Amino acid sequence: MARGRISRLSVRDVRFPTSLGGQGSDAMHTDPDYSAAYVVLETDAGDGLKGYGITFTLGKGTEVVVCAVNALAHHVLHKDLKDIVSDFRGFYRQLTSDGQLRWEMLLCFPSQIGPEKGVVHLATAAILNAVWDLWAKQEGKPLWKLLVDMDPRALLSCIDFRYITDVLTEEDAYEILKKGQIGKKEREEQMLMHGYPAYTTSCAWLGYSDDTLKQLCAAALKDGWTRFKVKVGADLQDDMRRCRLIRDMIGPEKTLMMDANQRWDVPEAVEWMSKLAEFKPLWIEEPTSPDDILGHAAISKALIPLGIGVATGEQCHNRVIFKQLLQANALQFLQIDSCRLGSVNENLSVLLMAKKFGIPVCPHAGGVGLCELVQHLIIFDYISVSASLKNRMCEYVDHLHEHFKYPVVIKQASYMPPKDAGYSTEMKEDSVRKHQYPDGDVWKKLLAAQEN
């Protein structure tokens, strides 16, 4: 039973200098410092439990998300957790429809900050992730188990169906969840025994040298990885050389995916992928602007004869974009993100739409805590919604997990279901303190070195 009044909300700017080693580098983001706006909720329940929430960022601009969290804090403070979760749909809508923020941001920066998109939506995700973490802890369950055990009607009461009822009504969603009850126990046992299949993006960042790429790829093969993703899009000849190197290392039978991180115009994407088709990629990820639904549809149509699918979603800022991508047959693989959308609530609606359209969900992960969070969503999806592992896998990137109190567990290239209560969002306090920007020890030294 949810309990306690939210007595305190704090938020910190936490950054890791990943740009120094080329981690996370791609065709569009050449020097990312993987970062997070890190929210902590406290209550007056007296049980000592706190809710931890994050939203993923790339360094500069994290302070803007922190400001947005503080701007939304009044919606959370002094509210009873029981009241929040008993009307979770209403609470979600309250956060995403703040009248003043919605109007002013829509006028000034509609594509970056406005309603259910950009900075305010990232802040919403951080807050709601903390609420879900707190609730799951109070229930004594990992988040995936909390979701799996919820009555279908109670689960649906967490979702805002506004703007998507033309493709998914609440009754449609209820029928999906009702069918998902069949065989649910067996699927849960399967997950506990074998885990959810993963693919690795750790080997082939654009900033890595060939020697580093070979070394990491060889290590991944030794560890049993069979699915690999490579970054492309900066230089065609270099892409062909690197893809040939990786394909030669992993062999023809293993799965290769490519990720352009929004680098191309539509005709350019088709032309470029026609050249890279010889390496037999399963998909090209984010070939163009994440807002261009019809562009993705055109690319998808052009690449189907080549046997290449389109994957996208990590930069889609709300359920409406996903709805239109599905309506337009613009993708063959849907990639949710646990911190880009409005937390669990909005991701649930996208999982259900994907099921209705028969499109496999292959989540985006990596970053700061994205693997820790999204594992809960995809395990729930398999047990209660999709009931299938066909063409499904979850991204894994092997860095920064050491900073989390409950890091992911990977066995035989699969995510093993978390057993600790909560959303796996809690970071080690020592890591937060050292990497807080700009006053943490790590950043004090780096900034001082830059000045000198």
Side-chain angles (χ1 to χ4, degrees):
M1 178 67 71
R3 59 190 178 274
R5 185 182 293 265
I6 307 296
S7 57
R8 186 168 185 265
L9 182 155
S10 62
V11 56
R12 288 189 274 182
D13 181 339
V14 182
R15 306 187 191 184
F16 299 89
T18 51
S19 61
L20 299 179
Q23 293 173 327
S25 54
D26 57 54
M28 290 292 280
H29 312 95
T30 56
D31 60 346
D33 284 325
Y34 276 9
S35 311
Y38 184 57
V39 171
V40 182
L41 296 180
E42 300 177 39
T43 75
D44 62 4
D47 53 15
L49 297 177
K50 298 179 182 179
Y52 298 84
I54 61 175
T55 198
F56 173 55
T57 54
L58 290 186
K60 295 174 185 175
T62 309
E63 65 270 25
V64 183
V65 182
V66 168
C67 288
V69 169
N70 286 321
L72 291 170
H74 68 281
H75 291 293
V76 187
L77 286 170
H78 313 305
K79 299 286 175 62
D80 284 326
L81 184 62
K82 181 180 178 181
D83 293 339
I84 290 174
V85 301
S86 64
D87 182 24
F88 222 150
R89 179 185 300 166
F91 183 71
Y92 170 89
R93 189 173 288 188
Q94 183 181 348
L95 278 178
T96 57
S97 301
D98 182 295
Q100 294 183 8
L101 284 175
R102 191 181 199 280
W103 178 255
E104 292 169 4
M105 301 306 187
L106 184 60
L107 286 174
C108 299
F109 306 103
S111 63
Q112 290 82 25
I113 304 185
E116 297 191 76
K117 61 184 75 172
V119 172
V120 172
H121 216 45
L122 291 174
T124 296
I127 292 170
L128 289 175
N129 284 340
V131 172
W132 280 99
D133 179 58
L134 179 59
W135 187 18
K137 284 176 177 173
Q138 289 191 352
E139 294 293 333
K141 298 178 180 182
L143 180 89
W144 69 265
K145 182 62 171 169
L146 174 68
L147 296 174
V148 165
D149 289 348
M150 285 177 71
D151 173 80
R153 289 294 185 192
L155 191 73
L156 295 176
S157 73
C158 300
I159 300 172
D160 187 353
F161 286 89
R162 182 167 57 177
Y163 307 139
I164 62 171
T165 55
D166 50 330
V167 301
L168 183 79
T169 66
E170 188 165 346
E171 285 307 308
D172 293 333
Y174 177 72
E175 289 301 317
I176 290 172
L177 291 176
K178 193 165 70 170
K179 289 179 181 176
Q181 300 293 309
I182 302 170
K184 189 168 79 169
K185 181 180 179 182
E186 290 76 14
R187 291 192 295 276
E188 182 173 338
E189 292 173 352
Q190 181 185 355
M191 284 290 100
L192 290 169
M193 185 174 295
H194 300 292
Y196 198 94
Y199 72 87
T200 178
T201 309
S202 300
C203 307
W205 299 110
L206 271 183
Y208 283 175
S209 67
D210 284 1
D211 286 343
T212 299
L213 190 155
K214 290 177 183 178
Q215 180 183 352
L216 292 174
C217 197
L221 287 166
K222 187 177 179 181
D223 288 340
W225 290 92
T226 61
R227 307 173 186 90
F228 298 79
K229 190 169 78 178
V230 58
K231 298 290 185 174
V232 297
D235 179 270
L236 179 57
Q237 294 307 313
D238 187 60
D239 284 349
M240 294 187 72
R241 181 184 58 77
R242 293 169 71 254
C243 289
R244 184 172 290 110
L245 189 157
I246 293 174
R247 179 53 87 185
D248 287 346
M249 288 195 70
I250 69 176
E253 76 285 354
K254 293 184 172 61
T255 304
L256 181 66
M257 292 82 72
M258 298 178 183
D259 186 354
N261 290 97
Q262 315 153 40
R263 180 61 183 257
W264 302 318
D265 282 352
V266 172
E268 187 180 16
V270 175
E271 180 183 2
W272 206 296
M273 287 311 300
S274 298
K275 302 285 179 55
L276 295 177
E278 67 173 280
F279 304 107
K280 304 298 181 184
L282 176 66
W283 75 52
I284 176 61
E285 184 173 329
E286 289 198 307
T288 192
S289 166
D291 297 334
D292 190 355
I293 289 97
L294 296 183
H296 277 88
I299 295 167
S300 175
K301 184 177 180 180
L303 296 185
I304 284 175
L306 299 176
I308 303 172
V310 168
T312 196
E314 71 177 81
Q315 294 281 353
C316 292
H317 42 252
N318 60 46
R319 62 197 180 280
V320 180
I321 297 294
F322 279 106
K323 178 190 76 169
Q324 293 182 356
L325 286 165
L326 291 165
Q327 288 174 309
N329 297 315
L331 76 175
Q332 285 71 50
F333 301 90
L334 186 149
Q335 298 175 308
I336 59 169
D337 183 280
S338 53
C339 295
R340 173 69 56 178
L341 293 182
S343 188
V344 178
N345 311 68
E346 191 166 27
N347 270 300
L348 290 174
S349 69
V350 176
L351 293 175
L352 289 161
M353 284 193 288
K355 171 64 176 178
K356 184 172 180 182
F357 279 84
I359 296 296
V361 176
C362 301
H364 168 247
V368 179
L370 297 184
C371 295
E372 276 71 20
L373 274 70
V374 84
Q375 61 180 332
H376 291 269
L377 301 178
I378 201 62
I379 289 168
F380 159 76
D381 180 59
Y382 172 66
I383 295 172
S384 297
V385 181
S386 74
S388 172
L389 292 178
K390 184 179 179 182
N391 287 328
R392 296 166 191 270
M393 56 191 126
C394 186
E395 185 172 21
Y396 175 71
V397 181
D398 186 18
H399 60 241
L400 302 180
H401 304 296
E402 68 273 14
H403 300 291
F404 283 81
K405 189 172 181 180
Y406 309 106
V408 294
V409 176
I410 298 288
K411 290 184 180 179
Q412 297 180 326
S414 295
Y415 280 91
M416 301 309 296
K419 296 181 179 179
D420 295 289
Y423 199 3
S424 306
T425 42
E426 184 175 353
M427 298 178 73
K428 295 176 181 176
E429 180 56 33
D430 187 55
S431 290
V432 174
R433 186 170 58 252
K434 287 180 179 178
H435 292 88
Q436 187 168 335
Y437 186 89
D439 300 321
D441 289 345
V442 169
W443 288 104
K444 279 184 178 179
K445 292 178 182 177
L446 284 172
L447 294 172
Q450 290 173 9
E451 291 177 359
N452 295 330

